[in-house]
Amino acid sequence: QVQLAESGGGLVQPGGSLRLSCAASRSIFVIYTMGWYRQVPGKQREVVAAITSGGTTNYADSVKGRFTISRDSAKNTAYLQMNTLKPEDTAVYYCNLHAWGSDYWGQGTQVTVSS
């Protein structure tokens, strides 16, 4: 079992930046994928960005060039650097870990982009 803890959400003006963190409760010595998803009320959860244990990254078209996913294996932590934020980026952001054949989710952190 592993627990994920997100942090870094908040209120930011359009054009601003935030960095989300996702800390895993234990080291992950297997092939894995960590990802960030987001969800707004009434809509399905959508993937924003993902990174594999090998370092391969993927992004949703809506965030390419603005968001960057990274990881620090020594700290068991993944990050999502979000720049040039837009009001449509407002959502609850969830960290996901796919490892050992299972999916693990954090509790979510609210990101609100508003003036």
Side-chain angles (χ1 to χ4, degrees):
Q1 282 288 348
V2 62
Q3 285 76 47
L4 304 177
E6 300 116 333
S7 60
L11 173 64
V12 63
Q13 292 187 341
S17 299
L18 282 174
R19 189 176 80 154
L20 305 182
S21 299
C22 173
S25 60
R26 55 171 285 189
S27 297
I28 307 167
F29 295 109
V30 295
I31 296 173
Y32 66 85
T33 299
M34 290 193 79
W36 288 95
Y37 290 69
R38 64 188 181 188
Q39 189 170 24
V40 297
K43 292 190 176 182
Q44 287 189 331
R45 193 172 294 187
E46 63 175 4
V47 61
V48 175
I51 186 167
T52 70
S53 49
T56 301
T57 57
N58 285 287
Y59 298 92
D61 288 342
S62 59
V63 306
K64 281 181 181 177
R66 300 189 297 122
F67 291 11
T68 302
I69 189 170
S70 61
R71 58 165 169 54
D72 185 334
S73 298
K75 296 182 178 179
N76 305 317
T77 301
Y79 304 95
L80 185 67
Q81 178 67 43
M82 304 186 293
N83 298 328
T84 319
L85 283 160
K86 305 175 181 180
E88 50 264 43
D89 295 318
T90 296
V92 178
Y93 283 70
Y94 296 90
C95 178
N96 169 269
L97 168 67
H98 182 78
W100 305 291
S102 298
D103 281 293
Y104 303 87
W105 293 92
Q107 78 285 358
T109 185
Q110 177 70 46
V111 171
T112 302
V113 184
S114 175
S115 55

